[in-house]
Amino acid sequence: MRSKLVTVRKVLSRVVAALAATVVVSLLLPVTPASAHGQLATSTPLKGTVVREPLTQLALYFTEKPASNAHFAISGPNGSRVDNGWSYGEPKRLDKPVTEYFMVDGVFEPRLYHTGFPAMVTVAHWPAKGRYTASYLSVASDGEAVRGEVTFDYQGPGTAAPAGWSAPTAGPDPALLAQAEGEGSTTSGATGSPVAPTGTPADDPAGAAEEQRDTGFPAWLIPALIVVTVSAVVLVAARRRPASRGASTADRRPAGAASRGGAATRKSGSPTRKTGNRSGGPARRGRR
């Protein structure tokens, strides 16, 4: 019985080890890739960093040129906007290439992007220290919305607003919103259509490093579910086997007891025959 328990424990330990290894490997795999192009690759300043000098512009680098009617806004600690328009910047080579996936014959294939196309957002002034948020909304060449935000802390000196400047209140272009929500046309001739990227093929997918959205079912979840299911089946089978073996042993015991009982009966009969032989011996000798 102990040997069976040891065997079951070994099986369970192997299953747990295999499950742990599979989960670790699965977590290292990328999530189901997003098919959208033109995602944010990097920014200056980077998300979550501390800025100690009053910058005149923020740079948001995308893997495609943002749409001509893209919307950018920068909000200060009190929620008021401090942005003062934006313009295209000079493309630069990314320190770390961005991977984007796109569907080919039903299979996602990766592409690397080494060039970032910036949107230079002007900062009118820095009213106070604290957290600032740069938000963006655009539409990529494949018609998918490109949206997100970059937050950072400003700990530099305060600066005054330009003479005659007022905080902007305008939101995104209605045509941009319609495209972002999938209600408008995404063809190249539509109003507010995104500008095709320069320096990279128009059909190349775009990746996201920090702001990539997870739009698909996580790929690691599928093997994890399979492993969990198989492990559950193995555990149930391992628990049932000792019980069935114990039952079969119990069923065999009465048969063994019965056979031993039969043997005892046969043995008890043999001394009777021996006794009779012994008694007959002297009689035969007496006759002689």
Side-chain angles (χ1 to χ4, degrees), residues 93-112:
R93 185 174 181 84
L94 300 173
D95 295 333
K96 183 179 180 181
V98 173
T99 303
E100 180 62 28
Y101 296 81
F102 64 105
M103 183 74 71
V104 175
D105 297 330
V107 178
F108 282 107
E109 293 185 358
R111 292 277 181 89
L112 286 178

Side-chain angles (χ1 to χ4, degrees), residues 146-162:
V146 178
R147 69 178 78 208
E149 61 183 27
V150 176
T151 58
F152 58 92
D153 289 330
Y154 179 72
Q155 295 299 324
T159 60

Side-chain angles (χ1 to χ4, degrees), residues 238-285:
R239 290 180 178 179
R240 288 182 178 178
R241 285 178 182 174
S244 60
R245 289 178 180 176
S248 61
T249 303
D251 293 339
R252 289 196 298 269
R253 284 180 180 176
S259 62
R260 287 195 295 271
T265 304
R266 289 194 298 272
K267 287 181 180 180
S268 63
S270 60
T272 304
R273 291 194 296 273
K274 289 180 180 180
T275 304
N277 293 338
R278 290 176 182 176
S279 62
R284 286 194 295 273
R285 285 195 301 268

Side-chain angles (χ1 to χ4, degrees), residues 32 35 42 46 53 75 83 92 108 118 120 140 165 188 196 200 222 241 246 261-262 286:
T32 302
S35 60
T42 187
L46 292 172
E53 296 293 334
S75 300
D83 56 280
K92 76 166 187 175
F108 282 107
M120 309 300 296
W165 179 85
S188 58
T200 55
I222 297 176
R241 285 178 182 174

Side-chain angles (χ1 to χ4, degrees), residues 29-63:
L29 295 175
V31 296
T32 302
S35 60
H37 300 177
Q39 300 297 305
L40 182 72
T42 187
S43 63
T44 303
L46 292 172
K47 183 178 182 179
T49 57
V50 177
V51 177
R52 302 189 182 277
E53 296 293 334
L55 302 175
T56 58
Q57 287 183 320
L58 302 186
L60 303 177
Y61 290 89
F62 301 86
T63 53

